[in-house]
Amino acid sequence: MAVTVLYFAAARERAGVSRESLEVPEGARVSDVLALLSARHPSLTPLLPHLRVAVQQQFVGLDAPVPQDAEVALIPPVAGGSPGLFSVVDRPLVLSQVVDAVAG
């Protein structure tokens, strides 16, 4: 089955792409996807333990299932930033809004 993998920041730099389609076995879990990506992009391997993974825009653990046609996002830890460019909110974060905020 096919999934779409989105790479951000250092993950994008190491993989050399920002998005790609990946064939994964039926019933795959996040850990299976990461193993396939490690084989496809060996330079990504050292970063994998530090990534947050989102499936369908929800952060998940390594045992989470990955459904057919899912969007899997690899999000490295973020440090630094520009003064004044932050927001404190009293609600759950929306992944698409966070991605939009740091896309540039």
Side-chain angles (χ1 to χ4, degrees), residues 8-28:
F8 294 95
R12 179 182 61 235
E13 292 167 11
R14 289 181 184 225
V17 295
S18 61
R19 158 193 298 255
E20 69 181 328
S21 182
L22 181 69
E23 286 295 321
V24 301
E26 190 75 32

Side-chain angles (χ1 to χ4, degrees), residues 3-98:
V3 299
T4 299
V5 181
L6 305 177
Y7 299 90
F8 294 95
R12 179 182 61 235
E13 292 167 11
R14 289 181 184 225
V17 295
S18 61
R19 158 193 298 255
E20 69 181 328
S21 182
L22 181 69
E23 286 295 321
V24 301
E26 190 75 32
R29 304 238 171 240
V30 169
S31 58
D32 302 318
V33 172
L34 294 180
L36 290 169
L37 293 174
S38 179
R40 181 178 276 195
H41 303 289
S43 63
L44 191 60
T45 303
L47 187 59
L48 292 178
H50 307 285
L51 296 175
R52 291 292 311 264
V53 178
V55 175
Q56 301 298 80
Q57 299 186 1
Q58 297 291 317
F59 286 119
V60 296
L62 294 176
D63 291 333
V66 179
Q68 167 107 14
D69 298 322
E71 178 184 88
V72 178
L74 304 183
I75 304 168
V78 178
S82 300
L85 296 178
F86 66 91
S87 180
V88 177
V89 296
D90 62 350
R91 60 177 167 66
L93 295 178
V94 177
L95 180 61
S96 62
Q97 292 173 347
V98 174

